Amino acid sequence: VSVVRSTAPYIDLKESILEGRIDYYYHPVFIKEMKDLERVAGKKIDHVPGGSKDLADAVAGACHSLSTNPYSGPAQVSVKRY
């Protein structure tokens, strides 16, 4: 999932937080990054000059992946021994 090319991951994250579907620990870096985000030309979400959004990108990407590909149970994994 690219959070650079699409606003969908951040829209999913925002809706999940506002609807109470996601719970998270207070993390000062995450909170600061989320507060400092801005929409650029209506096409993408970016950080303010001098800011960062690495943690926010990771959380938005994970939330988007989970909301678009719901968990369907444990995957079957086979392990070969040599």
Side-chain angles (χ1 to χ4, degrees):
V1 172
S2 173
V3 295
V4 176
R5 293 184 223 147
S6 172
T7 59
Y10 276 101
I11 291 169
D12 286 345
L13 177 58
K14 179 181 175 182
E15 288 175 357
S16 295
I17 291 171
L18 293 176
E19 293 172 3
R21 293 185 284 126
I22 189 171
D23 193 15
Y24 55 93
Y25 291 102
Y26 175 81
H27 190 286
V29 174
F30 174 67
I31 301 300
K32 179 170 180 15
E33 286 183 357
M34 291 297 291
K35 286 181 178 180
D36 290 346
L37 293 175
E38 58 187 18
R39 186 179 293 264
V40 178
K43 297 180 181 178
K44 70 177 195 167
I45 306 294
D46 207 355
H47 56 78
V48 295
S52 66
K53 66 181 185 95
D54 295 334
L55 186 54
D57 280 352
V59 175
C63 181
H64 180 68
S65 290
L66 290 169
S67 67
T68 56
N69 302 303
Y71 178 69
S72 60
Q76 295 295 321
V77 178
S78 62
V79 177
K80 293 183 180 181
R81 295 178 186 220
Y82 297 95

